[in-house]
Amino acid sequence: MSESQSFLDIWLNEAYGIVSDYFIFAGSAFLLFYFILKKPMWFRKVQKKLPKVNDYGRDILYSLITVTIFATAGLLIAFVWRPYTNLYNDIDQYGMAYYLFTWVWMFFLHDTYFYWMHRLMHQPVLFKHVHLVHHKSTNPSPWTAYAFHPFEAVAEVGILPLIAFTLPVHFPALGFFFLFQIIYNVYGHLGFELYPKGFNKHWLGRWVNTSVAHNLHHKGFRGNYGLYFLFWDRLMGTLRSDYDSTFDETTAKETEIKKQEVLA
């Protein structure tokens, strides 16, 4: 087997893995909430309408393009540039305490990177020619999670080399971290709120990004730029003023339904 053929095989395996994760998690969430649980969970739908079929098709198409870009970046880091990275395989090399610290590090680094990159994407020129692809879904679905313009996909995956070339990170942990990133990204675009009533005002929950928060970003095009957290949005004054009221409204109906069930 030639070196180029081997490289292609590795790339195809990498792409297959990312595509599989994307379709498993986005597809499962879509089947579960848009078909199986649509009626009982409808009171938790942020926007009380469904996206159009064309929206699903467009999002899937762009997501497949994004996956090829992500696979290429993963291949470069894992195989081509691996000797120059700070990735390691043996947890004992730095110990369990450091291993756990790197998870916290990756979350905050990625959230910070995403927030500022995302705000940059909302500058008029970049928004019109790049980020608008993602914002064509004003009422997002799980398929919107990876629906990026190719240039934005490159910017999105820029967090991978940033992690790999800074602090030492356990290589398998990096893979699990990006798997979690897919899951939380799907939740952020789900269109249904899963966190309980009052979570947005809880001492911990008020710092956590929610499906409501990101849905409002897609609907209104401004504010709520965070990924996992709301730290930067609160610090920089970019948390939308309608966030708390929308979260309360979206989750309050759960109480009303329970009251009706008791009275019945």
Side-chain angles (χ1 to χ4, degrees), residues 211-226:
S211 190
V212 166
H214 197 66
N215 195 283
L216 287 173
H217 173 78
H218 273 264
K219 182 180 179 181
F221 285 45
R222 290 289 179 183
N224 299 3
Y225 297 107

Side-chain angles (χ1 to χ4, degrees), residues 125-200:
V125 174
L126 287 176
F127 185 87
K128 178 180 179 180
H129 297 288
V130 179
H131 194 47
L132 181 59
V133 166
H134 189 65
H135 268 280
K136 285 184 177 180
S137 293
T138 56
N139 184 20
S141 76
W143 301 116
T144 313
Y146 269 11
F148 302 123
H149 185 285
F151 288 164
E152 183 170 1
V154 172
E156 291 276 351
V157 82
I159 186 60
L160 181 57
L162 185 59
I163 292 176
F165 288 102
T166 51
L167 297 181
V169 172
H170 187 242
F171 184 42
L174 181 61
F176 285 122
F177 174 75
F178 275 92
L179 181 61
F180 176 83
Q181 177 269 142
I182 292 176
I183 296 172
Y184 209 79
N185 215 349
V186 167
Y187 156 70
H189 294 88
L190 183 62
F192 291 79
E193 184 52 66
L194 303 183
Y195 283 119
K197 178 185 177 182
F199 183 77
N200 57 315

Side-chain angles (χ1 to χ4, degrees), residues 96-120:
M96 181 56 68
Y98 179 80
Y99 171 82
L100 296 175
F101 163 75
T102 58
W103 275 90
V104 177
W105 157 253
M106 287 189 289
F107 274 119
F108 280 94
L109 181 65
H110 193 190
D111 191 71
T112 298
Y113 176 87
F114 181 88
Y115 176 87
W116 291 104
M117 180 273 295
H118 194 184
R119 286 196 66 175
L120 181 63

Side-chain angles (χ1 to χ4, degrees), residues 15 19 22-23 57-70 146-148:
V19 168
Y22 166 71
F23 274 99
R58 182 191 63 250
D59 285 348
I60 292 173
L61 175 62
Y62 275 105
S63 293
L64 291 175
I65 296 173
T66 295
V67 164
T68 63
I69 294 172
F70 282 15
Y146 269 11
F148 302 123

